[in-house]
Amino acid sequence: DGYFEQVVRQCRYSSKDLQGIEFIDSYVFNKAEYIRFNSTVGKFVGYTELGVKNAEAWNSDAAVLAVERGELERYCKHNADLHYST
Protein backbone atom coordinates (compact mmCIF):
# COMPACT_ATOMS: atom_id res chain seq x y z
CA ASP A 1 0.00 0.00 0.00
CA GLY A 2 1.11 3.55 -0.55
CA TYR A 3 2.03 5.70 -3.49
CA PHE A 4 4.30 5.07 -6.43
CA GLU A 5 6.18 7.87 -8.19
CA GLN A 6 8.53 7.29 -11.09
CA VAL A 7 10.54 9.31 -13.58
CA VAL A 8 11.30 7.59 -16.88
CA ARG A 9 13.97 9.05 -19.16
CA GLN A 10 14.24 7.69 -22.67
CA CYS A 11 16.38 8.28 -25.70
CA ARG A 12 14.72 7.13 -28.88
CA TYR A 13 17.15 6.51 -31.70
CA SER A 14 15.54 6.34 -35.13
CA SER A 15 18.78 6.23 -37.12
CA LYS A 16 22.54 6.62 -36.74
CA ASP A 17 22.08 10.27 -37.66
CA LEU A 18 22.35 12.17 -34.37
CA GLN A 19 19.66 14.55 -35.60
CA GLY A 20 17.14 11.69 -35.36
CA ILE A 21 17.40 11.30 -31.58
CA GLU A 22 14.43 12.12 -29.36
CA PHE A 23 14.66 12.65 -25.58
CA ILE A 24 11.56 11.96 -23.47
CA ASP A 25 11.29 12.70 -19.76
CA SER A 26 8.07 11.24 -18.29
CA TYR A 27 6.70 11.71 -14.78
CA VAL A 28 4.40 8.96 -13.51
CA PHE A 29 2.28 8.79 -10.36
CA ASN A 30 0.52 5.53 -9.45
CA LYS A 31 1.13 4.13 -12.95
CA ALA A 32 -0.43 7.16 -14.70
CA GLU A 33 1.79 9.52 -16.65
CA TYR A 34 0.86 13.05 -15.70
CA ILE A 35 3.48 15.17 -17.49
CA ARG A 36 6.07 14.66 -20.22
CA PHE A 37 8.88 16.63 -21.81
CA ASN A 38 9.59 15.68 -25.41
CA SER A 39 12.64 17.19 -27.12
CA THR A 40 10.86 17.12 -30.48
CA VAL A 41 8.02 19.24 -29.08
CA GLY A 42 10.47 21.29 -26.98
CA LYS A 43 8.19 21.74 -23.99
CA PHE A 44 6.26 19.94 -21.26
CA VAL A 45 2.79 18.57 -21.96
CA GLY A 46 0.41 17.73 -19.12
CA TYR A 47 -1.96 14.77 -19.23
CA THR A 48 -3.85 15.29 -15.98
CA GLU A 49 -5.10 18.37 -14.14
CA LEU A 50 -1.91 18.47 -12.04
CA GLY A 51 0.23 17.78 -15.10
CA VAL A 52 -1.32 20.66 -17.04
CA LYS A 53 -0.67 23.05 -14.13
CA ASN A 54 2.92 21.84 -13.81
CA ALA A 55 3.44 22.09 -17.58
CA GLU A 56 2.28 25.71 -17.56
CA ALA A 57 4.63 26.56 -14.71
CA TRP A 58 7.64 24.65 -16.02
CA ASN A 59 7.20 25.92 -19.59
CA SER A 60 7.20 29.51 -18.34
CA ASP A 61 10.52 28.96 -16.50
CA ALA A 62 13.38 29.44 -18.97
CA ALA A 63 15.89 27.75 -16.62
CA VAL A 64 13.81 24.56 -16.35
CA LEU A 65 13.35 24.38 -20.12
CA ALA A 66 17.06 25.00 -20.71
CA VAL A 67 17.97 22.04 -18.49
CA GLU A 68 15.48 19.72 -20.22
CA ARG A 69 16.52 20.82 -23.70
CA GLY A 70 20.16 20.25 -22.76
CA GLU A 71 19.48 16.64 -21.81
CA LEU A 72 19.27 15.64 -25.47
CA GLU A 73 22.94 16.60 -25.88
CA ARG A 74 24.17 15.57 -22.43
CA TYR A 75 22.26 12.33 -21.96
CA CYS A 76 21.27 10.99 -25.39
CA LYS A 77 23.87 12.15 -27.88
CA HIS A 78 26.68 11.56 -25.40
CA ASN A 79 25.63 7.90 -25.07
CA ALA A 80 24.72 7.31 -28.72
CA ASP A 81 27.92 5.37 -29.45
CA LEU A 82 27.07 2.93 -26.64
CA HIS A 83 23.59 2.45 -28.04
CA TYR A 84 24.78 1.85 -31.61
CA SER A 85 27.55 -0.54 -30.54
CA THR A 86 25.11 -3.00 -28.92
Side-chain angles (χ1 to χ4, degrees), residues 9 11 21-25 37-40 42-44 62-79:
R9 297 182 140 202
C11 298
I21 299 173
E22 180 180 42
F23 171 71
I24 298 173
D25 195 7
F37 177 85
N38 182 313
S39 64
T40 304
K43 66 179 185 175
F44 288 94
V64 171
L65 284 178
V67 168
E68 287 294 321
R69 290 175 178 156
E71 291 298 272
L72 179 66
E73 291 289 331
R74 187 193 71 78
Y75 185 70
C76 295
K77 290 184 179 180
H78 177 75
N79 291 308

Side-chain angles (χ1 to χ4, degrees), residues 52-64:
V52 169
K53 288 181 182 181
N54 284 341
E56 290 172 0
W58 296 351
N59 287 331
S60 67
D61 188 331
V64 171

